[in-house]
Amino acid sequence: MARLEARNVSKSYPGVLALDGVSIAFEPGEIHGVIGENGAGKSTLMKLLSGVERPTEGAILVEDSEVHWHGVRESIDAGVVMIHQELNLVGTLTVAENIALGREPRKGLALDHKSARETAKRLLTEVRADISPDTMLEDLSIAGQQLVEIAKALSYEAKVLIMDEPTAVLSERETTALLDLMERLKSRGTTVVFISHILEQLIQVCDRITVLRDGQFVATLPKGECDEATLAKLMVGRELADYYPTKTPSWKEEVVLDVQGLQVPGHTKDVNFQVRRGEIVGIAGLVGAGRTEAAEAIVGLRKSAGSISYEGKPVHFTSPRQALEAGIAYVSEDRKLLGLHLTRSVGENITLANLRAYGSLLLDRKKEQQHIEHWVKEIQIKVSSPDVDVQTLSGGNQQKVSLSKWLDTQPKLLVLDEPTRGVDVGTKSEIYYLVRKLAAEGMTFVVISSEMPELIGLCDRTVVLREGRTVGELTGEDMTEEKMMMLVAGVDA
Amino acid sequence: MKFGPFMQKWGVLAAFLVLLGLNIVMQPQVFLKPDVLRNLFSQNCGVGIIAVGMTLLIVSGGIDLSVGSLMALAGGVGIMVMNKSLEGHAPEMMAVWTGVGASILVSVAGGLVNGLLVTVGRIAPFVATLGGLLAYRSLTQAIADGSEIASKSTGGLESLAGAGLPLPFIMGSNHKPLMVQWIIFVFLLAVVAATFLLERTPFGRRLVAVGANEKAAVYAAVSVNAVKLGAYAIVGLCVGIASVIGAAKLNSISSSSMGAFYELDAIAAVVIGGTSLSGGRGRVWGTLIGVLLLGMISTMLVTANVSIYWQGVVKGVIILLAVLIQRGQKAA
């Protein structure tokens, strides 16, 4: 008997059929992966399974009886709990208060703080989180917050735990801990639904993996039959032989950017690297190694000490505007908060950093429109019209908008921070090809990434940071995951 | 278009037209007179101009509570400068325009002070301008010793508010061509200019970007502080114009009542007009309707002989209704 089942469900929104007759069953005590490119219908399916929305056709069943949930409350009561990508916690409350939120234990009229703390403590031990129930939530790392969210889910006595891209924001060590936790939950009989873009992790822990494509069910594969190539092929519906572009070295000897002894107070101590014109240089390191902070310091978003020279001259930018005028742009890793204006249109986002090009007093709207259309076409942003809000786009298309915003400024050096985070496989490959093509045309790239295969597949050279210092550099044949891992983690060969 | 999104977009206009229609049916002897409609504009153009500036500021994520008090101060200083000038036997109109310049100088400076407190001083807009609300009012009262600052102009200042353009074919109740005051044109010009600024200029785009997501604007190389400063300065300019209109209408400035509660009326008009109080989304034409709607409610209640003390209740309910109607469906 399936614990949770979608039977022939379809969901249509005005003008779109987001899900088309999908059937999928989640058994007790299994880790079930769900994959698909952005727009494949994963999120829609999860909304139906967690009671956020109701199917247009078909049925959701819990232990073989049909349910008609009106809202998340009812699905939680039935034991189905979803942990969203954007965590739903209150930063200014303590961990214990967050876990008890909405169902605070009481003593008469007053809150029973003691019992809330004890419950929190027990649940945190269960997820093996070394977190005090009295910590303010906002003082925790993202990984810590996620553990609190999971502890909270356990407090509902969840029978099915749906996790949407839980590892996207975690470092490797934190990811390993989370995958372990999934295994433990499974052994207690909990069903874990694991949505992720990272095939490697899915293959590692999942008992079965279901693939969706264009709103339709493609296949459910048991553990033995899952390998990256098969899954990727099923997701994209074609072969992915040339996932990364061929590395045709296009760099010249001229050093464009030379960073020496860069110190960002509290984050980096000694970052050194050079980038040559037309080169794609990767920056590897764990979360907390200071990669983002170093990049932000270079473009004037953070205060720093040390020397930076650009095109042979020493520079010290104090605002992104100055950096941009010199031709350096930074594409943030945090697309939703820092990289885009989600509530504004695709067009407005694309031209925001380059408004000066469209007039100082008056906007040349015709020229602006031409540029917007150019980018939508050039890098294939899938959108019905450039006037729709960016928040309605899939992750991959949002990232393309974010890229266009900076490409429109015609930078000479583009710093990409996690350029493919939360982006589907097909779009990832498109982004790699775009970067390589632009490099061949003379643009220089610094690519910060937590995905080693990406750095190896895309970059000409990779600089490794550890604890705020440059600890090594890998080129050509030396760029292997093994060597990189050793440098990243600080293990001697 | 479905009812919800339709109301979100056009609700305030629909509400205004419905109320106007009701008024025409219920009190045709009042609301069919062109004078009454004209007065709706002329009586509200001071607060209206401030509301227009406030719209731009609120779109950028700011707010200014000091406008009413600053208006009194700027008006007072303007009259004092004009009086000094008249005492020095300057020609009447030259003195008047010198006073106008002084008012605008004071109010723009006040706006810039607010802007600097918010940007360089990093004080939350609400708090920063709350200081101005108290300080400017008190300063004006101190200067005027609690009473009013009277103008020594003999008709010159008043002509700024009184003079206008007679409409050739529309007769007023005095059977002469209806006179439309220049200040009404100034108000409409402000509406058009602000609309243009918001929708057709890089500055307008940046206002929206800063209001929608300030951090993302910083990352997009927008000079956020300059944009905010600009928005406060624009509000200052609007306050200056409104102060001149206020002074010209009465030929004096009451230090305690000139501009009192204008900050709330202006913010109410902006919100009724559909501009998001949290920034990043706004429209100037909505504010225009908001101003007219609030003005019409006052007129309506007065002509219907409803006690003036009930006005607040009716306005309060209207504001809440407007916000409820226009509340967006949350994106799923």
Side-chain angles (χ1 to χ4, degrees), chain A residues 360-416:
Chain A
S360 51
L361 207 61
L362 207 93
L363 276 179
D364 182 347
R365 296 215 289 188
K366 208 169 136 200
K367 185 176 168 199
E368 190 191 8
Q369 207 55 38
Q370 281 168 357
H371 279 235
I372 293 166
E373 275 163 23
H374 165 78
W375 289 116
V376 168
K377 215 172 124 206
E378 172 81 13
I379 64 174
Q380 296 173 30
I381 302 171
K382 285 177 201 120
V383 61
S384 55
S385 140
D387 297 331
V388 302
D389 286 0
V390 167
Q391 60 189 348
T392 62
L393 269 57
S394 67
N397 281 311
Q398 286 187 1
Q399 186 64 17
K400 284 179 173 179
V401 173
S402 184
L403 280 172
S404 309
K405 168 159 81 180
W406 295 107
L407 291 178
D408 195 48
T409 66
Q410 297 180 301
K412 291 187 245 174
L413 171 65
L414 194 54
V415 182
L416 303 176

Side-chain angles (χ1 to χ4, degrees), chain B residues 50-191:
Chain B
I50 293 178
V52 165
M54 190 76 84
T55 309
L56 299 181
L57 179 60
I58 288 178
V59 163
S60 80
I63 199 154
D64 189 346
L65 300 180
S66 73
V67 288
S69 301
L70 183 58
M71 179 177 162
L73 180 65
V77 171
I79 288 186
M80 286 182 346
V81 167
M82 182 192 68
N83 286 349
K84 262 272 170 323
S85 186
L86 285 170
E87 282 162 19
H89 302 291
E92 167 103 6
M93 281 327 280
M94 200 175 117
V96 168
W97 286 107
T98 312
V100 168
S103 288
I104 289 186
L105 218 61
V106 168
S107 61
V108 171
L112 284 172
V113 168
N114 284 334
L116 288 172
L117 289 173
V118 169
T119 53
V120 181
R122 293 160 174 270
I123 303 172
F126 191 94
V127 180
T129 59
L130 188 60
L133 169 72
L134 300 171
Y136 298 144
R137 174 68 61 195
S138 150
L139 187 59
T140 318
Q141 284 172 328
I143 293 172
D145 202 15
S147 70
E148 56 172 42
I149 302 173
S151 144
K152 290 181 179 156
S153 153
T154 48
L157 179 58
E158 282 169 298
S159 74
L160 293 187
L165 186 71
L167 290 186
F169 301 111
I170 302 174
M171 291 295 153
S173 42
N174 55 2
H175 304 292
K176 281 185 195 160
L178 187 72
M179 172 94 111
V180 179
Q181 295 95 321
W182 293 117
I183 51 174
I184 295 179
F185 291 106
V186 172
F187 176 32
L188 294 177
L189 191 72
V191 170

Side-chain angles (χ1 to χ4, degrees), chain B residues 16-38:
Chain B
F16 176 74
L17 294 176
V18 166
L19 199 63
L20 183 63
L22 269 175
N23 277 323
I24 289 176
V25 173
M26 310 268 284
Q27 304 183 57
Q29 73 285 9
V30 178
F31 280 88
L32 274 178
K33 283 187 189 155
D35 308 55
V36 173
L37 291 178
R38 181 210 47 200

Side-chain angles (χ1 to χ4, degrees), chain B residues 301-325:
Chain B
L301 295 177
V302 169
T303 53
N305 285 324
V306 177
S307 156
I308 196 164
Y309 300 115
W310 283 101
Q311 284 200 13
V313 175
V314 178
K315 283 188 184 175
V317 170
I318 296 276
I319 292 170
L320 292 179
L321 280 179
V323 174
L324 282 176
I325 288 176

Side-chain angles (χ1 to χ4, degrees), chain A residues 53 296 301 320-321 330 337-338 340-341 343-344 348 351-353 355-356 359 361-363 365 368 389 405-406, chain B residues 196 199-203 205-206 208-210 212-223 280-282 331-332:
Chain A
E53 288 184 18
E296 290 185 344
L301 281 161
R321 167 60 46 197
Y330 167 70
L337 199 65
L338 306 174
L340 291 170
H341 282 81
T343 57
R344 305 304 305 181
E348 273 182 51
T351 57
L352 180 63
L355 284 175
R356 288 183 184 197
L361 207 61
L362 207 93
L363 276 179
R365 296 215 289 188
E368 190 191 8
D389 286 0
K405 168 159 81 180
W406 295 107
Chain B
F196 190 77
E199 290 174 10
R200 298 286 175 96
T201 68
F203 179 72
R205 208 52 86 62
R206 293 190 186 109
V208 173
V210 170
N213 182 343
E214 185 175 333
K215 273 189 173 169
V218 171
Y219 274 71
V222 172
S223 309
R281 200 172 289 275

